[in-house]
Amino acid sequence: MSGNVRLLSDTLAAAMEEGRSALIAYLPAGFPTVDGGIEAVKAAIEGGADVVEVGLPHSDPVLDGPVIQTADDIALRGGVRIADVMRTVREAHAATGAPILVMTYWNPIDRYGVERFTAELAEAGGAGCILPDLPVQESALWREHAEKHGLATVFVVAPSSKDERLAEITAAGSGFVYAASLMGVTGTRASVSSQAEDLVRRTRATTDTPVCVGLGVSNPAQAAEVARFADGVIVGSAFVKRMLDAPDDAAGVEAVRALAGELAKGVRGQV
């Protein structure tokens, strides 16, 4: 069974052909429950997201701010497992046809087994993985299995990355490049870092792979701002916060759908 790296590339290319950025939503698996998380992913796509990153909850999420940490804690206390992450990918992709990636730290994959993880993700219809803490120089085993199973390998670049380092990272990655707009953890912010545009420019100088920007985008105006210079706009904490603030799970799912619609207008410059 081959994964959906081609679907991911085609989806990003289709957005470019429409003259807009793609909207990429992030939601953790198992939050608020496994079933509720699946419904939230489907709602994000139905609301207007082009791609969804499904987070694999982790007990020590070094890149994630307090909002996503809270959601991860709820998912972990609910007993979420890698099998639930795969089920989330499988059911969301089957229901929507959209590309679904998994965003995870390396340790859970290492423990689970690289071959087993990549084979199961491909079988579930997954498009690939975002690996924020896997150094490129230690990624050969992962990339070998990901390529064999038709999965994208998305690495993260940061404003601190030197040009030579950017070239090394982009040469090894596939699908898209995740450009972290600022140093620090995820979260909603009043403004998007001015470093983001420079990072996208420097990253694009090294690759033809789409460059998508995350960290700090939370509303349609910010999405429109980033869409001016990035191939994709990644939003996570704002979706999770809407769910945390909702009075019940059903309202949380509808809040995700509504925010996706608002942000979809933002990436199209309709704000």
Side-chain angles (χ1 to χ4, degrees):
M1 181 80 181
S2 183
N4 275 312
V5 63
R6 174 60 63 84
L7 174 63
L8 174 63
S9 297
D10 289 349
T11 300
L12 295 172
M16 283 187 212
E17 285 170 17
E18 291 177 21
R20 66 173 179 88
S21 282
L23 174 60
I24 303 175
Y26 166 93
L27 289 158
F31 168 73
T33 62
V34 175
D35 288 343
I38 292 168
E39 291 307 310
V41 172
K42 287 156 57 175
I45 296 161
E46 291 159 4
D50 299 288
V51 179
V52 173
E53 306 170 4
V54 171
L56 195 162
H58 193 270
S59 56
D60 185 25
V62 293
L63 183 70
D64 298 314
V67 170
I68 291 175
Q69 284 185 24
T70 298
D72 278 4
D73 186 53
I74 290 168
L76 290 166
R77 282 191 280 115
V80 71
R81 297 288 181 266
I82 288 178
D84 300 313
V85 177
M86 298 299 179
R87 182 185 152 214
T88 301
V89 172
R90 179 182 297 107
E91 294 191 14
H93 173 66
T96 65
I100 314 286
L101 299 102
V102 170
M103 185 166 189
T104 178
Y105 297 99
W106 178 246
N107 192 40
I109 295 178
D110 195 34
R111 288 204 313 265
Y112 198 72
V114 176
E115 169 59 24
R116 181 184 176 196
F117 190 95
T118 51
E120 289 184 8
L121 183 55
E123 188 276 328
C129 245
I130 301 161
L131 300 160
D133 67 338
L134 177 63
V136 169
Q137 61 270 26
E138 297 173 22
S139 68
L141 178 66
W142 164 267
R143 286 187 286 127
E144 174 192 337
H145 288 288
E147 191 170 339
K148 180 171 80 171
H149 289 291
L151 299 169
T153 297
V154 179
F155 290 114
V156 178
V157 297
S160 59
S161 303
K162 305 290 188 217
D163 290 350
E164 315 86 75
R165 179 70 175 155
L166 288 175
E168 183 184 3
I169 292 169
T170 59
S174 56
F176 65 90
V177 182
Y178 187 127
S181 67
L182 39 75
M183 304 303 293
V185 298
T186 59
T188 61
R189 288 174 174 81
S191 62
V192 178
S193 168
S194 59
Q195 296 174 303
E197 188 166 2
D198 180 62
L199 176 59
V200 169
R201 179 188 58 75
R202 292 194 298 118
T203 304
R204 278 203 180 126
T206 71
T207 183
D208 292 328
T209 304
V211 182
C212 304
V213 170
L215 273 64
V217 179
S218 61
N219 60 49
Q222 291 173 342
E225 178 189 347
V226 173
R228 283 190 305 99
F229 58 82
D231 300 309
V233 179
I234 303 168
V235 181
S237 294
F239 280 110
V240 176
K241 189 170 189 310
R242 289 272 181 117
M243 294 182 73
L244 286 168
D245 290 346
D248 55 53
D249 293 357
V253 168
E254 290 312 307
V256 165
R257 191 190 313 275
L259 180 58
E262 295 164 20
L263 293 166
K265 289 181 180 176
V267 299
R268 288 167 173 81
Q270 299 169 356
V271 293

